[in-house]
């Protein structure tokens, strides 16, 4: 279907997408040149599945929106997604959950955000993220020229002063910001 614009796939709570199923889905994403929005709700994806998915996102020329939900993204997948964001010039919206990711991986995501020319919306749910990681994200969001909408949900009890100060910088200095929502 060369004119397919939206892919929305939900897998049940106990299902894990097999590598073969991910190959089929990613092959379709790569060959459907009109795809603008991809939404996947899933409980689990293998390492090879993440590689296939990131590659498909990076090679979908019109992809504007990527929403991944129900499973937490860890370091390996986050690094792949950061690379895909850097290679997707029309990407306007990202939404996903992070869990226990390293500062290094979040820094890679922050650099991708900083250099995504069309990125207007970021929705992140994060658990176990360090203050340094929050600072990386805040600095990138502050510098992202097109960013208009930020929704951050931190699943932690403690919010450090440095991270809160940097988030305040977003509010003061993000050039296009229209809406910000943060929950702790």
């Amino acid at each position: 279907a060369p004119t397919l614009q939206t892919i929305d796939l939900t897998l049940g709570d106990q299902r894990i997408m097999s590598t073969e199923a991910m190959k089929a889905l990613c092959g379709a994403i790569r060959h459907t040149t009109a795809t603008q929005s991809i939404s996947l709700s899933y409980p689990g994806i293998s390492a090879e599945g993440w590689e296939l998915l990131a590659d498909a996102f990076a090679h979908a020329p019109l992809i504007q929106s990527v929403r991944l939900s129900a499973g937490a993204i860890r370091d390996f997948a986050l690094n792949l997604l950061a690379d895909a964001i850097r290679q997707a010039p029309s990407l306007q919206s990202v939404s996903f959950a992070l869990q226990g990711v390293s500062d290094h991986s979040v820094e890679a995501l922050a650099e991708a955000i900083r250099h995504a020319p069309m990125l207007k919306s970021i929705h992140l749910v994060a658990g176990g993220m360090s203050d340094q990681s929050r600072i990386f994200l805040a600095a990138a969001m502050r510098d992202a020229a097109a960013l208009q909408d930020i929704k951050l949900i931190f699943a932690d009890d403690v919010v450090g002063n440095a991270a809160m100060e940097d988030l305040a910088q977003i509010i003061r200095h993000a050039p296009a910001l229209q809406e910000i929502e943060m929950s702790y």
Side-chain angles (χ1 to χ4, degrees), residues 45-157:
I45 295 176
S46 69
E48 185 178 359
W50 277 114
E51 290 173 343
L52 292 165
L53 191 58
D55 184 65
F57 290 160
H59 291 92
L62 298 178
I63 192 76
Q64 295 176 7
S65 176
V66 174
R67 184 176 63 85
L68 305 172
S69 62
I73 296 171
R74 300 203 183 266
D75 281 327
F76 178 76
L78 184 56
N79 285 312
L80 292 171
L81 288 173
D83 286 342
I85 290 169
R86 277 193 282 283
Q87 297 176 48
S90 8
L91 189 63
Q92 295 179 20
S93 175
V94 294
S95 176
F96 43 82
L98 307 173
Q99 181 63 43
V101 291
S102 70
D103 291 342
H104 177 74
S105 294
V106 174
E107 187 175 20
L109 174 63
E111 281 304 307
I113 290 168
R114 182 176 277 120
H115 299 291
M118 303 288 289
L119 192 61
K120 294 179 182 177
S121 177
I122 298 173
H123 293 190
L124 296 177
V125 176
M129 186 178 287
S130 73
D131 271 355
Q132 185 60 51
S133 287
R134 293 176 199 204
I135 290 167
F136 288 145
L137 278 177
M141 290 178 196
R142 181 190 64 225
D143 298 340
L147 195 58
Q148 297 174 358
D149 173 41
I150 300 170
K151 182 175 183 178
L152 301 172
I153 300 172
F154 293 110
D156 302 303
D157 293 334

